[in-house]
Amino acid sequence: YAVQTATSGKDCLEKLKTIKPDVVFLDVRMPEMDGVDTLAQLRKVHEDLPVFLLTAAAYTPRLAEAEKYGVMGFFRKSEDFERAAALIEVTVDKLKES
């Protein structure tokens, strides 16, 4: 995979003006703008882009809010990153089918 990184939610939104990734992973806690706010802004331009939120916390009202913006799922930072790779594979395969 070709991976792009962003240092903040605002940086992510700027990069999405010039690139169209297959999948986005957003940390819930980021400088300047958290992952849920970034997701809300991202949806204004990229309605169907698959987005997963990374979190160290248990399910919270803030994560519940992300669901209204069409988050694909949540990935706990304590989980094995092999699961992240599997999420990417499944998501990319679904994109190819549509």
Side-chain angles (χ1 to χ4, degrees):
Y1 298 103
V3 177
Q4 295 283 324
T5 60
T7 58
S8 68
K10 289 182 181 181
D11 186 30
C12 171
L13 295 171
E14 275 302 308
K15 288 185 177 195
L16 288 175
K17 290 179 181 177
T18 58
I19 62 171
K20 175 71 166 70
D22 293 320
V23 180
V24 171
F25 282 83
L26 291 173
D27 198 332
V28 172
R29 297 184 113 187
M30 294 188 295
E32 299 177 12
M33 176 185 289
D34 76 9
V36 177
D37 290 337
T38 303
L39 175 61
Q41 293 300 311
L42 180 153
R43 284 293 179 239
K44 292 178 181 179
V45 180
H46 303 282
E47 294 176 359
D48 298 325
L49 182 60
V51 176
F52 293 90
L53 288 178
L54 292 134
T55 181
Y59 196 77
T60 65
R62 191 75 175 132
L63 294 180
E65 184 178 348
E67 291 180 343
K68 73 180 179 183
Y69 299 114
V71 68
M72 292 285 294
F74 304 97
F75 182 80
R76 299 272 318 244
K77 290 180 184 178
S78 62
E79 292 184 49
D80 189 336
F81 276 92
E82 287 182 15
R83 180 167 179 266
L87 290 172
I88 293 168
E89 287 291 329
V90 168
T91 303
V92 170
D93 287 347
K94 284 183 182 178
L95 290 172
K96 288 178 184 175
E97 291 173 5
S98 55

